[in-house]
Amino acid sequence: MLDRKIAIDERFNQLKIEDQWLFMRILPFLDDHGRTMGNLFELKCQMIPSSSWTIERLRNAVLRIEALGMVRFVENEVLQFNGFAKHQKIGHKPAESKFPAISEVTGIAQERSGKVGKDQER
């Protein structure tokens, strides 16, 4: 279930409507860790197959979402939603992810703050 609070989320509402649409289109395809593929061609084919978006348009949208701190993206590796574990109630043991954690790909350790849930990747 998607929390209704997203409708009044400051960062989400800073996005262009088409970027909000993309963000929502990706949600059902995330694994139990909030990750999905980082290959933009595959991402487009799976999540918006009938769209006329080019790969460049998709890349730009993902980068705008990333600029607001809502996702982390390493092209051809992984797209990871920040705070995913904090906002999800998974009723089973989370399945192993097919995608690497951002920290594994970038070599940057996880950062913590008062606003970050204990399971959140940054």
Side-chain angles (χ1 to χ4, degrees):
M1 293 291 290
L2 188 58
D3 193 324
R4 292 178 183 178
K5 290 178 187 172
I6 196 165
I8 58 170
D9 183 86
E10 260 185 79
R11 287 186 300 170
F12 185 74
N13 282 291
Q14 289 177 42
L15 292 171
K16 296 167 45 173
I17 291 295
E18 68 180 23
D19 297 345
Q20 291 179 19
W21 171 80
L22 178 66
F23 184 91
M24 302 290 244
R25 285 291 291 228
I26 295 171
L27 285 170
F29 294 94
L30 298 175
D31 67 13
D32 290 350
H33 301 273
R35 301 176 197 147
T36 191
M37 64 196 71
N39 181 294
L40 293 172
F41 178 78
E42 290 180 38
L43 191 74
K44 180 191 181 312
C45 289
Q46 184 174 21
M47 292 159 207
I48 52 174
S50 62
S51 168
S52 62
W53 282 32
T54 64
I55 298 302
E56 188 61 28
R57 183 176 179 186
L58 179 58
R59 179 181 295 109
N60 290 336
V62 169
L63 292 175
R64 285 190 298 268
I65 296 168
E66 183 180 42
L68 289 175
M70 299 175 73
V71 300
R72 295 283 310 274
F73 176 63
V74 176
E75 192 162 347
N76 296 316
E77 292 287 339
V78 64
L79 173 64
Q80 182 170 311
F81 277 48
N82 291 334
F84 186 80
K86 178 179 155 187
H87 298 290
Q88 297 304 309
K89 305 291 185 260
I90 297 176
H92 59 273
K93 182 179 177 188
E96 192 71 29
S97 182
K98 296 182 215 172
F99 310 103
I102 285 289
S103 58
E104 293 172 16
V105 176
T106 63
I108 299 171
Q110 295 180 18
E111 297 173 14
R112 303 247 187 250
S113 76
K115 293 183 177 182
V116 178
K118 68 178 184 173
D119 295 323
Q120 181 178 353
E121 282 281 334
R122 294 286 291 172

